[in-house]
Amino acid sequence: MVKLKPEEERRRLVEALQAYGALRSPKVIRAMLKVPREMFVLESMKDRAYDDTPLPILSGQTISAPHMVAMMSELLELEAGHRVLEVGAGSGYHAAVVAEIIAPEEAENKGHVYTVEILPELVRFASENLEKTSYAKVVTVIQGDGSRGLPSHAPFDRIFVTASAPSVPPPLVEQLKPGGILVIPVGGAYISQTLRTVKKRQDGQVESSDLMGVAFVPLRGEYGWKS
Ligand code: SAH
């Protein structure tokens, strides 16, 4: 079998995600075409970097499937200049895709992504991956319990959580700016999860909508799963 170049594999994956409806807007398409997923997976998984599937990373965690990264990035309605909080850095891949949208090279008004990760081994993995792909300038990895948000850097225009919570952690809603959007999987620790969007209106009222069934690893910490 002829081995394709990563750029070619990436282009094919993006076309498939567009056909499937997971990718729609030019800025998310551009970001998914640009970020090298092969640089965010384990050496042993490099051949599978462009399969549309989650892959194991360290400490029993997973890098989300590309269609999930695409869909969540679309739901966030990201704009250049946004301050974004991610809970669950993992490999750093999703943070890099969001960084491409909120801080593109040519933008004068660059946004920033803060990504909180609870496991030290993954803080190191994400930091190294973001460093070697040059996203470390616009993505800051912080070790801690992201179920409490990141009060020292709040408020945020957008917040997304890449592990499943029993319910929406109140600090995340508090740390959202008026007009802000939060995207989070909620439900069981491993089963029956739903992807929820929470929008904070200008008057501070929140509106939630549930989109579809999803499968994420459990959120730990104060507002996560205890066992
Ligand atoms: N967004 C990641 C996918 C990460 S998987 C990527 O693009 O690769 C979910 C991650 O959430 C795991 O790394 C897990 O350790 C982390 N996590 C779980 N509970 C957390 C918490 N309370 N605070 C911060 N990170 C948490």
Side-chain angles (χ1 to χ4, degrees):
M1 214 172 75
V2 183
K3 205 169 165 333
L4 297 174
K5 289 201 179 118
E7 305 81 76
E8 180 57 19
E9 287 197 275
R10 212 175 301 138
R11 195 182 59 73
R12 290 189 186 196
L13 172 65
V14 165
E15 279 172 10
L17 296 179
Q18 283 181 265
Y20 168 67
L23 261 180
R24 297 161 205 267
S25 64
K27 53 189 158 190
V28 185
I29 293 171
R30 184 190 149 280
M32 297 279 300
L33 279 174
K34 190 132 184 232
V35 181
R37 192 168 186 255
E38 75 278 11
M39 303 284 278
F40 291 86
V41 301
L42 297 175
E43 202 54 46
S44 57
M45 294 286 154
K46 282 228 186 316
D47 285 352
R48 301 186 57 198
Y50 292 98
D51 290 359
D52 187 17
T53 176
L55 293 171
I57 45 176
L58 302 167
S59 307
Q61 306 302 310
T62 52
I63 175 173
S64 305
H67 73 265
M68 192 49 60
V69 173
M71 282 177 175
M72 289 177 78
S73 303
E74 293 282 8
L75 287 170
L76 283 165
E77 299 175 27
L78 298 159
E79 306 279 351
H82 274 166
R83 283 170 68 81
V84 181
L85 173 67
E86 175 183 36
V87 178
S91 66
Y93 174 71
H94 202 160
V97 169
V98 169
E100 262 305 330
I101 305 168
I102 57 101
E105 223 168 349
E106 67 285 1
E108 274 173 30
N109 173 23
K110 285 204 178 16
H112 201 90
V113 182
Y114 298 89
T115 180
V116 183
E117 171 57 55
I118 203 162
L119 298 175
E121 195 178 24
L122 287 162
V123 171
R124 280 195 296 277
F125 188 56
S127 303
E128 282 164 19
N129 294 339
L130 290 160
E131 196 68 56
K132 68 186 182 205
T133 50
S134 308
Y135 288 104
K137 291 186 290 296
V138 284
V139 181
T140 305
V141 185
I142 295 155
Q143 185 176 345
D145 173 11
S147 79
R148 299 182 184 147
L150 189 60
S152 55
H153 293 71
F156 300 97
D157 296 290
R158 302 291 186 260
I159 300 177
F160 66 107
V161 182
T162 64
S164 179
S167 56
V168 177
L172 299 186
V173 179
E174 283 158 25
Q175 290 169 32
L176 206 54
K177 286 186 191 172
I181 301 177
L182 160 67
V183 176
I184 177 169
V186 286
Y190 287 96
I191 51 160
S192 305
Q193 306 164 1
T194 312
L195 194 61
R196 182 166 299 168
T197 302
V198 178
K199 293 193 177 181
K200 190 184 259 188
R201 296 195 324 217
Q202 292 298 342
D203 64 5
Q205 296 273 36
V206 293
E207 289 164 1
S208 301
S209 50
D210 286 353
L211 280 129
M212 57 179 184
V214 288
F216 281 82
V217 295
L219 181 73
R220 302 295 177 191
E222 186 176 345
Y223 295 91
W225 298 94
K226 297 292 175 254
S227 58

